[in-house]
Amino acid sequence: MTNRSDVLVVGAGFAGMYALYRYRNQGLNVTVLEAGSDVGGTWYWNRYPGARCDVPSLEYSYGFSEALEQEWDWPEVFSAQPDILRYANHVADRFDLRRDIRFNTRVVALEYLEADNLWRATTEQDEQLEAQFCVMATGCLSVPNKPKLPGADSFQGTVLYTGLWPKEPVDLTGCRVGIIGTGSSGVQAIPELARQAGHLTVFQRTPVYTVPANRKRMRADVQQEFRDNYLAIREMQQNNAGGISNFRPVRSVKRSVAESSTSTSATAIPTTSLPASSLSAPALAPNKILNLTPEERLALVQARGLNMLLTFRDVYTDPEANEAANETFREAISSMVDDPTVGERLSPTTYGLGCKRQVLDRDYYDTFNRDNVTLVDLIESPIETITTKGIRTSATHHDLDVLIYATGFDAMTGALLKANIRGRDGKRLTDKWRDGPVAYLGLQMHGFPNLFTITGPGSPSVLSNMLVAIEQHVNWIGDCIEYLGTNNLQNIEPEPAAEVDWVAHVNEVAKGTMYTTPSCNSWYLGSNVPGKPRIFMPYVGGYPRYRERCEQVVANGYEGFRLG
Ligand code: N01
């Protein structure tokens, strides 16, 4: 039997949950299909020890409900995964979302039935569901990248992925644990794993630039001040490149100025109570690195922490300044790691700051001073094979009980391509995107009428506060569906020229940034997955510019779209 709704939403993470709430409230019949057994998306799957958000929670939270803003307590400034998942569950309960979500339901195919103007989803259980509109809320980082290493299937110990961490607690006490990968996930997990495991071996291919994360508990007065000012804060988010307000609570600024006036450090600079996240604007930084001597640079960084974004304003715009910052960073690492060889191996040399997303850590470099931690440099001694008992590199065999892959994601396009989507005339999305994603505003693709992507490629998405980007897309799509209904229109899809022009614009604004320097390889470019086209996927032109463009498109009668 086929089930029929007005809107099918695929995914019950933050995007799918808000889509359900929003579309249900505009009178539509909505069904959400979710592969997991509960809500939360990325925060449901990434339960690895140390998982934490790099955007302050008072900003990384829904803005659609004032009551929700006023009632929810965040225990820390940057929340840990369990607290964010608790929030997602609270939202699901509070707005009675679960009754329209089918859990443990993975979509294996999506097909456009042109004669009926319907999308049909087929699930793993071979059930079929249909709707006029289909909204892909499948996330940007939801398909783990599983490297094809020789012998991988032969390992007889426990295999874990940071992006698919089990729900049940994993006891690593006394275990010989190996972890492959030192991106954001690996860097967050490594210090925690080192505390739990008997011995931890870190298999590193590319060293990372990582800066200490904020560890503060949430202060009640700061949270209250946010609550008192949320209306203005949400407005500020709408006008910030990264979708972050950078709101500075008056009470806490007063306190930090008082604290800094008693500081003995010559370079002490007043800090905000909510330090900038990895998405904050470089314009906040007071200094130009090239105006300082190498000694002054290092002293400043050692006093202020490694966050070059907050310390120097020229690092991400001037290649010479960037190299000076990279050098300063390497010197700072060598001063934190006891063994000079390990310090050298941990120091990035093949790419610059700003190429990848800024990584935030807790005790990362210090972890390599522990007796129970070994760093293996895979450039010096590559993996030859996984064996039944561990990993053989060109140098030696490492015996392991547990092998953890922190090897990232098939980002931005992975989940969409995996859904086996076929549009008009049976055209496959995998064929359309063979040379990289082509979409208009990261919202829709020509040939796939009434199919929408939330935070799709070509939108600010991962370069902005995801919650802000999600709400903007969900609202835009909701308004669009309403417009179609009011005007007795049945479908919408982009004109081919509009999506080609938009992709050209996305590439144009990314040109010349640190993200796209030839030495840079990152998941933003797809270059972390063998065979994936090297294309810069998110929109780097800033959230407000993008939002205004979306608004303008609507004001001009859905310019660039074909409405039928
Ligand atoms: O993934 P990554 P991630 N052999 O792709 C290595 C978000 N996030 O999951 O660089 C050996 O960054 C790979 O090495 P290399 C955040 O947006 C946020 O860590 O390709 N190694 C790299 O070291 C982040 O940017 C938070 O040489 C292999 C690592 O695996 C994004 O998710 C926390 C390999 C992958 O790093 C992705 O982060 C966690 C192989 N065959 C994640 N294949 C926060 O909010 C890959 N690697 C803080």
Side-chain angles (χ1 to χ4, degrees):
M1 204 186 86
T2 304
N3 289 287
R4 181 76 59 86
S5 329
D6 297 322
V7 187
L8 276 180
V9 175
V10 185
F14 280 108
M17 289 166 68
Y18 178 49
L20 169 56
Y21 171 84
R22 172 64 153 79
Y23 306 150
R24 187 199 269 170
N25 280 0
Q26 68 186 67
L28 297 166
N29 184 336
V30 187
T31 302
V32 182
L33 307 176
E34 166 57 51
S37 65
D38 213 335
V39 296
T42 199
W43 303 104
Y44 169 92
W45 298 104
N46 287 267
R47 294 162 190 259
Y48 60 86
R52 184 172 286 278
C53 189
D54 59 357
V55 175
S57 293
L58 286 165
E59 306 244 15
Y60 187 91
S61 53
Y62 285 124
F64 70 81
S65 161
E66 194 190 337
L68 179 64
E69 286 174 340
Q70 296 299 321
E71 76 197 6
W72 185 257
D73 285 325
W74 291 106
E76 289 183 89
V77 174
F78 287 81
S79 288
Q81 174 271 335
D83 290 323
I84 303 175
L85 191 57
R86 242 191 308 280
Y87 174 73
N89 277 283
H90 170 74
V91 172
D93 294 339
R94 189 186 200 292
F95 299 105
D96 190 18
L97 298 182
R98 286 192 176 82
R99 69 179 151 93
D100 287 323
I101 306 176
R102 293 179 178 222
F103 294 106
N104 303 305
T105 304
R106 185 177 291 280
V107 172
V108 292
L110 272 167
E111 182 189 5
Y112 179 58
L113 311 174
E114 188 168 4
D116 304 318
N117 191 34
L118 288 173
W119 278 93
R120 175 183 290 164
T122 305
T123 71
E124 214 164 31
Q125 293 84 2
D126 212 19
E127 196 186 359
Q128 300 198 317
L129 299 100
E130 292 176 352
Q132 184 180 354
F133 300 98
C134 182
V135 176
M136 301 300 286
T138 41
C140 296
L141 295 159
S142 46
V143 176
N145 172 39
K146 299 181 174 179
K148 293 183 176 58
L149 297 170
D153 294 340
S154 65
F155 183 62
Q156 287 175 356
T158 304
V159 175
L160 299 168
Y161 290 86
T162 48
L164 297 172
W165 200 265
K167 275 173 143 178
E168 307 72 36
V170 180
D171 185 6
L172 299 172
T173 314
C175 292
R176 295 164 302 177
V177 177
I179 182 166
I180 303 177
T182 51
S184 296
S185 306
V187 164
Q188 285 188 331
I190 284 163
E192 296 299 324
L193 297 171
R195 282 190 263 275
Q196 295 175 22
H199 192 91
L200 179 69
T201 307
V202 177
F203 296 89
Q204 169 197 273
R205 188 164 67 181
T206 307
V208 66
Y209 295 97
T210 169
V211 308
N214 180 287
R215 293 167 176 247
K216 287 185 182 153
R217 304 291 305 167
M218 181 64 75
R219 271 178 33 201
D221 58 340
V222 169
Q223 180 158 270
Q224 190 53 48
E225 203 159 335
F226 258 76
R227 286 177 176 159
D228 295 345
N229 290 283
Y230 251 133
L231 207 59
I233 287 166
R234 298 300 181 192
E235 190 64 33
M236 288 155 82
Q237 289 178 332
Q238 291 300 314
N239 294 302
N240 173 272
I244 295 192
S245 75
N246 289 313
F247 174 74
R248 299 180 66 172
V250 175
R251 290 166 212 159
S252 66
V253 171
K254 271 191 204 143
R255 184 201 269 205
S256 60
V257 170
E259 281 166 0
S260 71
S261 67
T262 59
S263 166
T264 52
S265 164
T267 48
I269 293 165
T271 54
T272 62
S273 64
L274 291 174
S277 79
S278 64
L279 298 171
S280 293
L284 291 173
N287 310 288
K288 278 189 152 191
I289 194 167
L290 293 178
N291 290 345
L292 305 175
T293 65
E295 294 73 26
E296 287 169 335
R297 294 168 194 166
L298 185 61
L300 192 57
V301 162
Q302 284 175 333
R304 292 211 51 186
L306 284 167
N307 198 333
M308 301 283 170
L309 193 67
L310 287 181
T311 311
F312 304 113
R313 70 168 175 272
D314 47 355
V315 164
Y316 290 163
T317 49
D318 175 352
E320 200 186 336
N322 187 263
E323 187 38 44
N326 302 338
E327 184 53 40
T328 307
F329 207 105
R330 291 190 279 269
E331 280 181 52
I333 294 173
S334 68
S335 70
M336 288 186 282
V337 179
D338 296 343
D339 181 334
T341 311
V342 175
E344 209 171 302
R345 286 180 180 142
L346 288 169
S347 299
T349 53
T350 56
Y351 68 101
L353 279 153
C355 143
K356 304 190 188 206
R357 188 184 178 98
Q358 179 64 63
V359 177
L360 302 183
D361 72 85
R362 295 185 167 204
D363 305 330
Y364 184 65
Y365 293 113
D366 208 30
T367 297
F368 294 91
N369 295 328
R370 294 175 67 109
D371 292 337
N372 71 334
V373 176
T374 305
L375 178 67
V376 174
D377 184 335
L378 295 179
I379 300 298
E380 273 173 30
S381 50
I383 294 176
E384 286 184 343
T385 184
I386 310 284
T387 67
T388 54
K389 293 187 174 345
I391 294 184
R392 183 182 307 290
T393 66
S394 61
T396 187
H397 187 272
H398 299 269
D399 292 340
L400 302 172
D401 305 307
V402 180
L403 175 53
I404 300 172
Y405 290 91
T407 42
F409 300 90
D410 183 354
M412 304 212 60
T413 55
L416 296 168
L417 294 176
K418 219 177 146 186
N420 191 13
I421 300 176
R422 279 179 296 156
R424 198 185 309 107
D425 302 327
K427 186 169 174 128
R428 291 179 185 278
L429 188 63
T430 42
D431 290 332
K432 183 178 170 83
W433 284 8
R434 193 166 296 283
D435 299 324
V438 180
Y440 185 35
L441 298 169
L443 276 166
Q444 265 213 309
M445 291 81 72
H446 174 74
F448 299 81
N450 292 352
L451 178 78
F452 297 91
T453 54
I454 297 183
T455 63
S459 72
S461 55
V462 291
L463 297 181
S464 61
N465 180 348
M466 282 304 279
L467 272 279
V468 170
I470 282 169
E471 288 189 344
Q472 188 251 341
H473 266 191
V474 170
N475 291 338
W476 193 97
I477 295 164
D479 291 346
C480 174
I481 292 175
E482 198 162 304
Y483 179 89
L484 295 178
T486 311
N487 291 281
N488 204 19
L489 294 161
Q490 299 306 316
N491 55 46
I492 177 167
E493 68 178 300
E495 300 283 0
E499 62 182 10
V500 168
D501 287 353
W502 181 253
V503 172
H505 174 64
V506 170
N507 288 324
E508 189 57 35
V509 288
K511 229 185 261 169
T513 65
M514 294 296 169
Y515 292 119
T516 55
T517 51
S519 63
C520 183
N521 284 306
S522 70
W523 58 263
Y524 292 137
L525 286 160
S527 51
N528 63 325
V529 175
K532 193 166 171 173
R534 185 185 162 95
I535 304 278
F536 189 75
M537 293 182 285
Y539 180 61
V540 76
Y543 171 74
R545 187 172 165 194
Y546 172 83
R547 175 182 52 75
E548 281 162 17
R549 178 67 189 262
C550 291
E551 287 164 4
Q552 199 180 41
V553 160
V554 174
N556 293 344
Y558 287 89
E559 185 184 0
F561 287 97
R562 186 182 293 171
L563 282 68

